Amino acid sequence: MDKGADEMKLARELLVRVRKLRQDVMDERDRDIALWDEELEREDFLPSAENLFHYLAVRRRDLRDLQEALIPWGLSSLGRLEAKTLATLDSLVATLEDITGAEKTVFHPKIARFYEGPEILAKNTLEIFGPTESKNYTRIMATLPTEATDDQKFVDKLVENGMNIARINCSHDDEEIWTQMIERVRAAEKKFGREVKISMEMAGPKIRTSWVYTTEKNPKVAAGDSIRLDKDTTKIGNYPHCKLVVGMTVPEILADIREEEEVIIDDGTVECRVVEKDAQGLTLYIHKVNGSDTRIKSEKGINFPKSRFDLHVLPEQDKVHLAFALEHADIIGFSFMKNAQDMRMIQEEMERQVGERAKKIPILAKIETVQAVDNLASIILQGAGKNPLCVMIARGDLAVECGYVRLSELQQEIMWICEAANIPVIWATEVLANLIKRGIPTRAEITDVAEGASAECIMLNKGKYLPQGVEMVRRILEKQKYHKLKKTYMLRALGIAYSHE
Ligand SMILES: Nc1ncnc2c1ncn2[C@@H]1O[C@H](COP(=O)(O)OP(=O)(O)OP(=O)(O)O)[C@@H](O)[C@H]1O
Ligand SMILES: CC(=O)C(=O)O
């Protein structure tokens, strides 16, 4: 090794730091295992839980200067250690001990240890999302529209173009419609000889518009208008200055909202502020809408990003829908879970309904609030400790709850924590939204698919051009798989590297 005395001193200092980091990580892991031991029933999940504890311990520290210091030595700078945290630290310590000639405390880890995490993740992905025909790493989930009930050709096209999982959003339609959707998917599955999973998502305690009352004919609202969120229609004449009076699915929370609070309607389409509050409801001033004006319809989400409500994760209606899903779905999704306690209540209700079989059914945890992101590790430990588990980055509500700017950071953090726990992730909402609604994609949404290719699944929402959306995602994924796997850029030989010769 051609290094001077000063540089050797730096290497010895690095070794001290990395040895300490490794020891702290193992100590914190032992503490966390003791805390969670009783909840971790599934043997298969134990190595993943252990790696998650290692990773969380690493990520509780700011390691940026250590990373910088490792790079000149040609050593791992810890930027891709999610699925192999302790093996990476072992390898670093062992190599630094070789370089400095220090006493050996750690041996080089067996190469197989670096592949265990990715192999478990691939196995979990196959078990929950099924195989892929196209050999792409990332699966495609598509949301079935109501029209899928009587249009076999539409469903056939989705399967033919590469849909691996059909998503049924139980916030809309009913059991009769869902039954028909499932029959169509099963028919397409037979026709193309492909396995397609059915995922049914429970609505959860999502607050929505219920009725919309107005004296005008089909009015649009714009910035500067006022609207009313109200308990009932009987006082309608009292608000002549309001363009609409809107009811909501959970009117009891109105009492908890404060004046000046932000209220967001329809996934961010309408942004308002509370200007008046009384026993009947709230008067809202609209300060921004998507475009120059827009309609507010029933069944649209209402978010109060600054408030936290203690709503039960399984409203009564969901318990009924859950019984249906337990009979028909391959994956069951739950919306607006906040923490491990919510996950436990879901698991208990599933077990109450179908007994031991409940533990075999894959749960999809939709992460759509900042609170759920904060509690992600414990949601995963509780969920995967008993059930096969996948996680959805539900960006529709999450963006509204955390603000657009923070979304970019949170969607990555969710991916990293899930990778450390070998949990498959679904990159969801507004993927190729323009293509799916209008037939032409924006440039930025192509990049979004490339970014989503680091997830195990990409979800598409409803729209007229959904089959084209599925095909476009599949084709972008086919290109992307040569260049990037999770966080790692793959060095396929580049055509443009020859151009100057
Ligand atoms: N049957 C339906 N009746 C009324 N609105 C619907 C229906 N199906 C979907 N929508 C609306 O269409 C849009 C796209 O629905 P999709 O299920 O793809 O997305 P989503 O964001 O998961 O929906 P939601 O937020 O309503 O649960 C949403 O605004 C949804 O509210
Ligand atoms: C999918 C969903 O519920 C969301 O993005 O909010």
Side-chain angles (χ1 to χ4, degrees):
M1 174 91 17
D2 186 19
K3 296 273 181 193
D6 287 351
E7 300 206 335
M8 267 307 159
K9 188 166 167 271
L10 286 179
R12 279 194 290 276
E13 283 167 13
L14 266 180
L15 174 59
V16 171
R17 270 195 81 180
V18 180
R19 272 183 179 159
K20 171 151 182 12
L21 174 64
R22 178 176 172 273
Q23 190 57 52
D24 289 349
V25 163
M26 291 194 299
D27 292 345
E28 288 173 34
R29 168 205 63 198
D30 291 343
R31 182 203 64 187
D32 286 347
I33 286 182
L35 276 175
W36 278 91
D37 193 35
E38 274 181 29
E39 304 297 337
L40 304 178
E41 288 178 15
R42 280 170 74 230
E43 290 270 324
D44 279 3
F45 179 60
L46 294 181
S48 308
E50 197 173 343
N51 187 65
L52 176 61
F53 293 139
H54 293 146
Y55 183 68
L56 294 173
V58 168
R59 297 309 308 267
R60 282 192 276 270
R61 292 156 167 82
D62 187 342
L63 297 173
R64 287 173 293 176
D65 64 329
L66 176 63
Q67 289 185 286
E68 287 281 339
L70 288 167
I71 290 168
W73 295 89
L75 298 173
S76 163
S77 62
L78 308 175
R80 292 175 285 132
L81 85 174
E82 280 69 15
K84 44 187 183 273
T85 308
L86 192 58
T88 306
L89 294 177
D90 285 357
S91 176
L92 260 185
V93 173
T95 307
L96 281 167
E97 287 175 348
D98 290 346
I99 291 173
T100 57
E103 186 196 342
K104 276 254 81 34
T105 60
V106 179
F107 291 102
H108 285 278
K110 284 203 164 29
I111 289 172
R113 277 182 59 199
F114 288 83
Y115 298 103
E116 281 164 9
E119 277 168 16
I120 299 174
L121 178 56
K123 183 174 153 280
N124 291 343
T125 303
L126 183 64
E127 179 189 347
I128 301 174
F129 298 153
T132 52
E133 187 76 10
S134 62
K135 304 272 187 298
N136 284 341
Y137 173 76
T138 303
R139 273 63 166 177
I140 304 173
M141 172 185 270
T143 310
L144 297 182
T146 314
E147 304 81 72
T149 50
D150 55 9
D151 192 347
Q152 183 66 47
K153 279 207 185 109
F154 184 88
V155 179
D156 285 354
K157 209 77 202 129
L158 294 177
V159 175
E160 191 181 2
N161 289 0
M163 172 178 77
N164 304 106
I165 305 144
R167 169 178 183 248
I168 296 178
N169 180 357
C170 298
S171 306
H172 308 293
D173 309 315
D174 55 31
E175 288 187 8
E176 197 185 321
I177 290 181
W178 303 332
T179 305
Q180 289 170 24
M181 287 176 174
I182 293 167
E183 281 168 6
R184 300 254 173 240
V185 173
R186 296 299 179 217
E189 217 180 4
K190 268 208 198 95
K191 183 165 172 188
F192 294 97
R194 288 205 199 137
E195 189 177 340
V196 178
K197 300 283 188 190
I198 306 263
S199 175
M200 299 191 74
E201 273 170 37
M202 303 297 108
K206 176 155 171 152
I207 303 161
R208 288 177 189 269
T209 57
S210 46
W211 43 263
V212 178
Y213 190 92
T214 174
T215 48
E216 296 180 33
K217 193 164 176 272
N218 218 4
K220 290 184 168 181
V221 292
D225 286 341
S226 294
I227 59 169
R228 186 73 198 167
L229 269 187
D230 212 87
K231 287 187 179 159
D232 60 54
T233 54
T234 56
K235 303 276 188 336
I236 207 91
N238 296 359
Y239 315 113
H241 56 295
C242 290
K243 239 181 176 169
L244 307 173
V245 182
V246 180
M248 58 201 285
T249 49
V250 198
E252 54 275 21
I253 57 120
L254 282 172
D256 297 333
I257 314 297
R258 291 174 300 270
E259 285 198 17
E260 290 301 314
E261 238 188 272
E262 187 78 3
V263 182
I264 299 182
I265 302 173
D266 192 6
D267 273 356
T269 305
V270 181
E271 296 183 9
C272 337
R273 205 174 48 245
V274 178
V275 286
E276 217 180 294
K277 177 179 172 177
D278 54 49
Q280 269 296 119
L282 310 169
T283 302
L284 308 178
Y285 174 79
I286 299 178
H287 58 82
K288 205 187 275 178
V289 300
N290 186 8
S292 53
D293 52 15
T294 187
R295 289 200 169 83
I296 296 180
K297 299 182 190 160
S298 62
E299 291 193 39
K300 296 297 176 191
I302 313 179
N303 297 75
F304 302 89
K306 292 280 170 313
S307 281
R308 285 186 176 188
F309 312 108
D310 197 19
L311 299 175
H312 197 292
V313 68
L314 279 177
E316 286 309 308
Q317 189 57 235
D318 276 12
K319 292 185 185 163
V320 180
H321 294 166
L322 177 60
F324 180 89
L326 283 163
E327 290 309 313
H328 296 89
D330 301 306
I331 306 166
I332 307 184
F334 296 90
S335 309
F336 287 95
M337 65 172 70
K338 306 179 288 296
N339 49 32
Q341 173 67 15
D342 280 355
M343 177 62 88
R344 192 176 305 122
M345 286 198 278
I346 287 163
Q347 290 170 320
E348 283 167 5
E349 178 62 22
M350 285 170 69
E351 201 169 336
R352 194 187 67 75
Q353 293 203 16
V354 293
E356 277 296 299
R357 184 170 78 81
K359 292 190 178 145
K360 300 243 177 315
I361 297 169
I363 290 179
L364 186 171
K366 291 177 69 184
I367 303 301
E368 41 198 340
T369 61
V370 176
Q371 207 179 351
V373 179
D374 288 344
N375 293 321
L376 180 61
S378 50
I379 289 175
I380 289 176
L381 290 161
Q382 177 65 40
K386 293 194 173 55
N387 285 75
L389 182 79
C390 57
V391 158
M392 177 184 279
I393 312 176
R395 299 186 299 175
D397 283 286
L398 186 56
V400 171
E401 294 275 331
C402 73
Y404 290 106
V405 172
R406 255 194 103 192
L407 180 68
S408 58
E409 212 176 23
L410 293 187
Q411 62 191 14
Q412 296 298 346
E413 290 177 15
I414 296 171
M415 298 260 274
W416 301 336
I417 300 283
C418 288
E419 189 183 352
N422 312 133
I423 298 295
V425 176
I426 303 160
W427 184 266
T429 302
E430 284 197 345
V431 175
L432 292 183
N434 276 278
L435 169 65
I436 288 171
K437 285 205 185 106
R438 289 187 267 280
I440 308 271
T442 64
R443 278 71 178 156
E445 62 196 27
I446 304 295
T447 310
D448 183 48
V449 175
E451 188 71 11
S454 304
E456 282 60 40
C457 181
I458 288 182
M459 184 273 257
L460 303 176
N461 295 103
K462 297 170 186 179
K464 185 170 165 201
Y465 301 95
L466 181 59
Q468 288 88 329
V470 171
E471 177 165 25
M472 173 86 74
V473 171
R474 195 198 73 229
R475 291 177 57 199
I476 297 172
L477 290 174
E478 273 163 14
K479 296 232 168 280
Q480 196 62 17
K481 75 176 170 213
Y482 298 113
H483 300 295
K484 201 167 172 227
L485 181 65
K486 303 298 284 179
K487 269 174 137 191
T488 303
Y489 285 97
M490 310 298 289
L491 304 186
R492 188 187 76 152
L494 272 186
I496 56 170
Y498 295 101
S499 62
H500 69 293
E501 285 177 356

